[in-house]
Amino acid sequence: MSRAQRQTLDARLRTATPPPPTASIAQRRAGFAAFMASFPVPTDVRRAPAELGGRPAVLVEPATEPRPGTILYFHGGSFSLGSPTTSLALTAHLVRRTGVRAVSLDYRLAPEHPFPAGIEDCLAAYRELLAEVDPASIALVGDSAGGGLAVTTCLAARDAALPLPATIVAFSPGLDHTRSGATMRTKEGADPFFTQADMARTGELYLGGQDPDQPLLAPAVRADLTGFPPILLQVGSNELLLDDSVRLAERAREAEVDVILDVTAGVPHVFPAYAGTLDEADQALDRAALFLTQHLPVA
């Protein structure tokens, strides 16, 4: 374990200047894109523009012949920021480690397109993918808001009587818009990224005035996960969102779903993105890649 690396990264993140509460959504998106551009993208992958479910996407493939399977990736950004480009480094690291191609979806964002627009786009992409490949060869993967979408897309697919994917992997997922998890309070100040006030502002953009106390907005609190595929949740111990993963794992166990809750101490939100900088990031990605390859078809 790399205590010094974790402490150095935590200190660096705390010196960053957050956007002011008055910042426009355009300013927030530009700032988020600039921050995410600092994560180096592995060079030994191929990328190409694509389209899935009527939305733009980015296809990321290994440099060599890909092994069977498809990762349908959903980027993070509080449901209002980001794109496949901002998550490209993390997506590419997964592709390199698994040898499986990924399709990263550019779903619609709030506030222009509040709930349930993003879920509708993700479900449409999954539905189109089902017309091309076996569901047993699909993994739904995402980080932060995208991790939440991996779970809620699976819920929406089950409710639409679609066959479910082989597995779900979620990095620091947002899974509760009621914000009722204890760590929303107990990790205030320990989380170098988020505050309760920040999350309240971005949450309002996505909710668009709707009641958050429902399965597709608070799966950690309200979702019945019966019939779900195996789930891997990776999260840091200092995150406001920690209890989102903890409580979803509890619901998965109650539903007799295979679930791994992988908590790492002293690391920031979506810490696997810091591959090459933080030993724990590379180790977490290795565990995620092993989980994916265990549940996707063998060559």
Side-chain angles (χ1 to χ4, degrees):
M1 303 296 282
S2 57
R3 183 178 300 275
Q5 289 178 348
R6 284 177 283 169
Q7 291 173 342
T8 298
L9 178 58
D10 184 85
R12 176 161 63 85
L13 292 172
R14 291 180 188 279
T15 63
T17 303
T22 56
S24 68
I25 190 65
Q27 291 170 324
R28 287 177 177 270
R29 286 172 179 163
F32 183 71
F35 173 70
M36 296 305 293
S38 67
F39 292 85
V41 177
T43 57
D44 53 346
V45 298
R46 302 191 303 265
R47 67 183 93 163
E51 184 176 310
L52 195 63
R55 293 294 303 168
V58 174
L59 173 65
V60 184
E61 295 181 297
T64 57
E65 184 69 21
R67 59 167 287 170
T70 300
I71 295 169
L72 181 53
Y73 197 93
F74 306 129
H75 68 82
S78 302
F79 301 94
S80 57
L81 315 172
S83 70
T85 299
T86 60
S87 68
L88 189 57
L90 188 49
T91 310
H93 279 296
L94 282 177
V95 169
R96 287 184 67 222
R97 282 170 164 82
T98 61
V100 175
R101 70 169 186 160
V103 183
S104 185
L105 187 70
D106 194 4
Y107 57 86
R108 288 173 293 172
L109 300 176
E112 298 91 338
H113 304 284
F115 171 83
I119 298 173
E120 291 171 346
D121 290 347
C122 295
L123 181 61
Y126 179 64
R127 191 187 295 270
E128 183 173 316
L129 198 56
L130 285 175
E132 303 171 2
V133 300
D134 188 325
S137 70
I138 301 172
L140 301 184
V141 183
D143 66 273
S144 193
L149 286 169
V151 172
T152 54
T153 298
C154 196
L155 278 173
R158 189 194 60 192
D159 292 346
L162 296 174
L164 298 188
T167 189
I168 296 170
V169 173
F171 304 110
S172 300
L175 298 164
D176 177 22
H177 273 87
T178 71
R179 307 302 192 210
S180 58
T183 53
M184 289 294 297
R185 302 180 303 279
T186 62
K187 300 300 181 179
E188 181 86 21
D191 190 322
F193 268 122
F194 296 128
T195 66
Q196 293 183 66
D198 294 333
M199 301 200 80
R201 282 191 292 269
T202 57
E204 287 173 1
L205 297 179
Y206 182 57
L207 289 172
Q210 300 191 60
D211 182 3
D213 195 15
Q214 52 180 295
L216 290 179
L217 284 168
V221 179
R222 293 300 178 201
D224 174 6
L225 303 182
T226 300
F228 258 49
I231 304 169
L232 171 63
L233 304 165
Q234 291 189 331
V235 65
S237 66
N238 288 343
E239 296 196 51
L240 265 64
L241 291 176
L242 172 59
D243 268 356
D244 286 33
S245 289
V246 170
R247 289 175 298 157
L248 191 87
E250 291 172 352
R251 299 191 74 82
R253 288 194 294 267
E254 291 169 359
E256 298 290 328
V257 172
D258 290 337
V259 61
I260 296 175
L261 175 62
D262 186 356
V263 182
T264 298
V267 292
H269 184 63
V270 194
F271 72 95
Y274 293 90
T277 299
L278 188 66
D279 289 348
E280 286 82 358
D282 288 283
Q283 293 158 6
L285 283 171
D286 288 342
R287 295 194 297 273
L290 176 61
F291 184 85
L292 286 166
T293 55
Q294 286 175 331
H295 291 94
L296 291 172
V298 295

